[in-house]
Amino acid sequence: SPGKFRVKAIVRNKFGEAASSLLQYLGPSDLILEADVTKPSTLYPALEDSDFIIFAAGAGVSSSTSSSDSMRGVSEGEKEEKPSSPLNALFNAGSAERIPEILLETPSKLIDAVAFGGFEKIDNRGVANVAAIASGISSVKRIVLISSLGVTRFPIVQLATLAGDVLSQKRKGEEALASSGVRYTVIRPGGLTSKGTGQKLRVSQGDTDFGSISRSDVARACLEVIS
């Protein structure tokens, strides 16, 4: 069943705010581990023995180097998932992918991300780093990458250069994952909202759709992929 996972919540600072916000969702057998997608040497200890990896890091909202909740490594176990899961917490703290939100709601963090090359470091090379490490871990069955609508579309990608080239860097991250040899799924949500789960969803292939989706429903989609 979808809830039978032991969760490893991976953050850069397990004593920071992001880790604290996750505690209420974690069970006694779940873990909070430290790693940084920009530092490959930190990844193997955190990802070792994971069956599935959900990559939801993104620069531009939480910081110039990584979102507060970057990944989940999950191992098949015997625990029934709580109604409010760590995955929901991940997306409740995650970054919205809509360009207007990035431009208007988080300008200082956006400037920080652009100035320090955060989009390239996280959304592109960060994905490549995780995929490369995962390719050497025999237990990993699949990586689920949360990307964004519009990563291949004109003029959306061109307009995104106003926000630091975020979409083209996400696309490069997708390509790095696809060439890694690890089985993978890319989920391209629209604008992320904080509405509850259970909204009517529209699913399409390729990069042709528009719209928004709640973070809880993205989390549910991730669980469906790995179940």
Side-chain angles (χ1 to χ4, degrees):
S1 92
K4 291 184 178 179
F5 295 106
R6 178 171 179 261
V7 175
K8 295 191 291 186
I10 300 172
V11 298
R12 285 176 300 149
N13 179 5
K14 63 182 180 181
F15 301 107
E17 181 179 350
S20 298
S21 69
L22 289 170
L23 291 175
Q24 61 182 308
Y25 300 98
L26 299 178
S29 64
D30 296 331
L31 300 172
I32 296 180
L33 302 176
E34 288 187 352
D36 189 328
V37 299
T38 68
K39 300 175 181 177
S41 62
T42 69
L43 295 173
Y44 184 86
L47 298 178
E48 185 180 13
D49 297 327
S50 294
D51 293 296
F52 304 98
I53 298 168
I54 298 173
F55 187 107
V61 174
S62 295
S63 77
S64 63
T65 55
S66 179
S67 68
S68 56
D69 297 303
S70 60
M71 288 178 290
R72 294 292 179 272
V74 294
S75 300
E76 293 180 89
E78 300 301 326
K79 179 179 72 66
E80 289 295 329
E81 180 195 9
K82 299 177 182 179
S84 294
S85 72
L87 288 174
N88 287 346
L90 182 157
F91 290 103
N92 287 336
S95 61
E97 302 301 340
R98 286 178 294 179
I99 299 305
E101 286 190 33
I102 294 175
L103 288 173
L104 299 177
E105 295 182 10
T106 57
S108 62
K109 292 174 182 177
L110 170 64
I111 292 171
D112 194 33
V114 174
F116 291 97
F119 296 124
E120 180 183 2
K121 291 178 181 177
I122 305 303
D123 300 277
N124 175 0
R125 284 189 280 153
V127 176
N129 289 339
V130 170
I133 296 298
S135 68
I137 300 176
S138 60
S139 64
V140 174
K141 300 175 182 177
R142 183 177 297 272
I143 296 176
V144 181
L145 171 63
I146 309 304
S147 184
S148 174
L149 283 180
V151 294
T152 66
R153 263 184 284 173
F154 177 87
I156 297 175
V157 173
Q158 285 69 27
L159 290 173
T161 58
L162 299 174
D165 204 24
V166 58
L167 292 182
S168 65
Q169 295 298 338
K170 284 183 178 293
R171 178 57 180 154
K172 290 177 181 178
E174 291 182 2
E175 292 170 342
L177 176 58
S179 64
S180 69
V182 180
R183 295 186 69 183
Y184 70 93
T185 298
V186 175
I187 296 177
R188 292 172 173 170
L192 300 179
T193 72
S194 296
K195 296 179 181 179
T197 189
Q199 303 295 313
K200 185 177 180 180
L201 301 181
R202 184 174 65 247
V203 180
S204 62
Q205 283 279 34
D207 190 16
T208 60
D209 223 329
F210 290 91
S212 61
I213 184 173
S214 73
R215 294 176 174 87
S216 295
D217 280 329
V218 176
R220 186 171 297 276
C222 291
L223 285 174
E224 289 294 331
V225 169
I226 67 177
S227 298

